[in-house]
């Protein structure tokens, strides 16, 4: 059966979430300790700052099977390293534009500012992103090859 006709109702997206150690990762921890449940589809990777995120990390995640990538960082003016989140925002803006030009829907790549006290926001963002990507279906980077056509 080709991917185009595959039943995607049971599709569970794989999300890679890069969370800043000082804010969003702590908020995810808070959500956990507060027993807030959210979609379990994300694999969280802790970075010291959202500004540490190399665009290559995002591309590698998508290439290796992620259906979406979420970046979480400190709110503007709250970055532990002064301006790492501004750097992250600039990279995100460019990368998102590039991914869209490659046909990758914007819902698959998201940046959110979530402070350490916003466990409820982690819950909401995770659930929203999983629902959005579920609606889109699996990321198919090479549909021509998947269909069995000659490259
Ligand atoms: S330390 Fe959190 S975004 Fe820089």
């Amino acid at each position: 059966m080709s991917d185009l006709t595959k039943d995607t109702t049971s599709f569970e997206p794989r999300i890679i979430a890069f969370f800043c150690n000082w804010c969003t990762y702590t908020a995810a921890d808070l959500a956990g300790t507060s027993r807030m449940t959210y979609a379990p589809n994300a694999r969280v990777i802790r970075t010291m700052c959202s500004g540490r995120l190399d665009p290559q990390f995002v591309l590698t995640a998508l290439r290796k099977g992620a259906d979406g990538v979420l970046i979480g960082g400190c709110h503007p003016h709250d970055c532990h390293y002064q301006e790492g989140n501004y750097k992250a925002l600039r990279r995100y803006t460019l990368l998102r534009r590039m991914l869209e030009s490659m046909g990758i829907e914007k819902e698959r790549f998201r940046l959110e500012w979530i402070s350490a006290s916003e466990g409820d926001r982690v819950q909401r963002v995770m659930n929203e992103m999983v629902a959005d990507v579920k609606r889109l279906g699996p990321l198919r980077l090479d549909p021509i090859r998947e269909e069995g056509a000659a490259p």
Side-chain angles (χ1 to χ4, degrees):
M1 186 191 306
S2 78
D3 259 356
L4 289 176
T5 56
K6 198 191 299 183
D7 173 28
T8 55
T9 52
S10 60
F11 164 62
E12 286 298 333
R14 282 175 291 192
I15 308 291
I16 298 295
F18 294 100
F19 285 171
C20 151
N21 176 62
W22 303 101
C23 296
T24 316
Y25 190 85
T26 308
D29 225 22
L30 175 66
T33 54
S34 308
R35 297 180 180 265
M36 294 175 190
T37 54
Y38 54 84
N41 304 58
R43 296 291 168 271
V44 176
I45 297 173
R46 179 166 47 166
T47 62
M48 289 311 285
C49 174
S50 62
R52 169 68 184 89
L53 194 74
D54 188 312
Q56 276 296 333
F57 298 171
V58 176
L59 298 175
T60 301
L62 296 173
R63 191 167 45 82
K64 293 205 168 192
D67 298 297
V69 173
L70 172 63
I71 301 169
C74 305
H75 284 273
H77 306 297
D78 284 347
C79 175
H80 219 71
Y81 306 98
Q82 308 289 325
E83 54 188 36
N85 50 4
Y86 295 117
K87 190 187 277 184
L89 179 60
R90 287 194 293 271
R91 288 177 174 164
Y92 166 78
T93 305
L94 283 174
L95 190 55
R96 182 167 160 157
R97 207 173 295 166
M98 190 189 96
L99 292 174
E100 273 193 270
S101 75
M102 292 166 60
I104 296 176
E105 300 89 347
K106 61 183 186 327
E107 292 84 357
R108 294 188 189 275
F109 184 42
R110 186 165 170 171
L111 169 67
E112 289 287 337
W113 307 135
I114 303 175
S115 75
S117 62
E118 295 178 306
D120 55 327
R121 194 165 154 82
V122 169
Q123 180 187 43
R124 184 177 58 74
V125 167
M126 285 283 206
N127 287 339
E128 275 177 15
M129 181 149 188
V130 169
D132 286 346
V133 175
K134 221 174 207 176
R135 239 186 328 273
L136 294 172
L139 177 62
R140 297 164 59 248
L141 287 178
D142 195 354
I144 295 171
R145 210 170 286 165
E146 284 177 15
E147 286 302 304

